[in-house]
Amino acid sequence: MSSRTPQGPIPDVAVLRSRVERARTEAAGTGLLIAPGSDLRYLLGLGGGSFERLTTLVIPADGVPVLVVPKMEAPGFADVPLDELGIDVVTWVDGDDPYALAADRLSGADRVAVSDFTPALHVLALRSALPKAEQVLAGPIVRELRMRKDAAEIDALRRAGAAIDRVHARVREWLRPGRTEAEVGADIEAAIVEEGHAAADFVIVGSGPNGASPHHSLSDRVIESGDVVVVDIGGPIPEGYNSDSTRTYAVGTPRDADVMATYAVLEAAQQAAVDAVRPGVSAESIDAAARSVIEAAGLGEYFIHRTGHGIGLDVHEEPYIVAGNELTLEPGMAFSVEPGIYRPGRWGARIEDIVVVTADGVEPLNRRPHGLTVL
Ligand code: ZN
Ligand code: ZN
Ligand code: ZN
């Protein structure tokens, strides 16, 4: 997310304090170096910006954590209760060696974990500053925290889901023959913000043959009567939690004769996957639940991506709902269930809901009807 995106309230100090301590516990003796981005936002309530100047939250295995930050960027952290969190702040100015400042708190560490999206220029400089420490990724450590959402996080995802549902409810206002995907997309983008998001993160309007490309964005293609149109949209609410929902529309009666029967298979596959979600089953079993329905209909070769991805402060995060992921689902995990069927050169369809694993089952956060919406 860009630093221009409006920032919502920062979580309670108690919440942040327990996250920082859990990160330290999960790191089990490894020092943590957390760069600006969603990991930092999770721990401090603020993501900061990612710049060529080093900003990093250092959480040593023992001792006081420190935020190393350029003096000119420090005012941006004014709302973060660093004092109450027991986090020191060390500022630096151009000409100083910020890597030495970060390394200072980690001297003696055999291993340091850097957050996954730390720019390489900082990773390599930190390696030089800590020549005796093995560098590993912090992702596997931080994901153990972020993957299980607490009640406030789930509530934020619920509100994001409701907001994007309100946008889908309005798609019929804009989607009609003679308009380009880009024109429709601009209206949707404005509505995403109007309905309560801080920004639109992505807008896919895949009409006709473009719908067969899962990550198509927008083009100047003019929408025609008979088109099937994939609309996949989302963005963060001010608290930083994201929506992501796909519905498929038809502009008049679909021109391809196979649409209705194929779409029915997709709808059954998506429902089977949602129905399979509960604590104790594997992530890959949810993928299999969707895929087996599509394969049984002889359409397996047209379902060309995993069934879903985790969602939270990032649109795509753990857990991934994919063959080979034996991770056991637990209450609080939130992810998309989004099978698609793509017929190259003609049309495509996808249905995507965000769901949360509950104590004994599943709560879908998107509530719009799943059927092909004929406009
Ligand atoms: Zn995607
Ligand atoms: Zn999506
Ligand atoms: Zn998605």
Side-chain angles (χ1 to χ4, degrees):
M1 193 188 335
S2 96
S3 50
R4 289 162 312 172
T5 306
Q7 158 95 32
I10 286 176
D12 284 349
V13 182
V15 170
L16 298 177
R17 186 183 292 124
S18 89
R19 289 178 182 175
V20 171
E21 277 318 308
R22 277 161 55 217
R24 192 205 298 265
T25 305
E26 200 64 51
T30 297
L32 286 168
L33 289 156
I34 305 295
S38 52
D39 287 341
L40 193 67
R41 183 159 190 177
Y42 182 80
L43 295 171
L44 297 186
L46 189 85
S50 195
F51 305 105
E52 78 284 8
R53 293 184 176 95
L54 180 74
T55 297
T56 186
L57 173 64
V58 183
I59 306 178
D62 308 290
V64 179
V66 60
L67 181 69
V68 176
V69 60
K71 192 171 186 115
M72 58 176 289
E73 307 288 353
F77 288 87
D79 293 339
V80 179
L82 293 161
D83 243 20
E84 292 169 78
L85 289 171
I87 296 173
D88 286 349
V89 178
V90 171
T91 61
W92 61 279
V93 296
D94 294 338
D96 291 347
D97 178 359
Y99 306 103
L101 297 174
D104 187 52
R105 297 285 172 126
L106 295 168
S107 55
D110 309 323
R111 237 154 72 108
V112 296
V114 294
S115 50
D116 289 13
F117 297 100
T118 307
L121 81 157
H122 298 321
V123 175
L124 296 182
L126 287 163
R127 178 174 291 173
S128 301
L130 289 159
K132 297 206 175 70
E134 178 197 1
Q135 277 184 341
V136 296
L137 289 175
I141 295 166
V142 181
R143 80 163 197 179
E144 289 303 320
L145 283 62
R146 290 182 51 185
M147 204 159 58
R148 297 170 193 82
K149 272 70 179 175
D150 67 24
E153 293 181 284
I154 291 168
D155 187 56
L157 286 168
R158 215 178 261 134
R159 281 180 280 119
I164 209 68
D165 281 0
R166 292 194 295 274
V167 179
H168 271 299
R170 294 178 58 193
V171 163
R172 61 172 63 249
E173 293 175 29
W174 311 302
L175 189 59
R176 54 175 181 270
R179 304 193 78 206
T180 66
E181 292 174 357
E183 287 167 345
V184 174
D187 288 333
I188 290 174
E189 185 166 350
I192 287 174
V193 174
E194 281 166 29
E195 297 294 348
H197 293 83
D201 191 57
F202 56 92
V203 176
I204 295 173
V205 179
S207 68
N210 291 338
S213 167
H215 271 177
H216 174 79
S217 175
L218 299 168
S219 79
D220 290 328
R221 183 179 183 278
V222 177
I223 291 158
E224 298 165 19
S225 184
D227 281 351
V228 174
V229 185
V230 176
V231 176
D232 184 356
I233 52 181
I237 61 170
E239 290 88 336
Y241 289 83
N242 285 281
S243 65
D244 181 5
S245 176
T246 309
R247 289 294 181 268
T248 301
Y249 300 83
V251 182
T253 304
R255 90 174 60 83
D256 289 273
D258 59 344
V259 170
M260 287 315 204
T262 303
Y263 193 89
V265 171
L266 178 64
E267 202 176 336
Q270 202 269 350
Q271 195 61 53
V274 172
D275 291 345
V277 175
R278 59 184 177 276
V281 303
S282 66
E284 67 177 354
S285 74
I286 307 306
D287 181 81
R291 202 166 300 277
S292 60
V293 172
I294 294 173
E295 283 173 353
L299 296 167
E301 69 182 286
Y302 304 114
F303 177 19
I304 55 176
H305 54 71
R306 66 190 175 213
T307 291
H309 54 83
I311 188 165
L313 291 171
D314 286 316
V315 179
H316 289 184
E317 58 180 52
E318 304 272 359
Y320 291 100
I321 307 303
V322 61
N325 187 1
E326 294 170 8
L327 178 86
T328 300
L329 298 183
E330 294 175 39
M333 291 182 176
F335 51 84
S336 69
V337 176
E338 51 173 311
I341 296 177
Y342 308 97
R343 304 305 311 253
R346 298 197 291 124
W347 65 281
R350 181 164 64 254
I351 302 168
E352 175 179 25
D353 292 328
I354 303 304
V355 303
V356 179
V357 184
T358 63
D360 55 3
V362 60
E363 177 187 347
L365 302 188
N366 299 108
R367 306 284 183 156
R368 294 289 305 157
H370 288 159
L372 184 69
T373 303
V374 180
L375 304 175

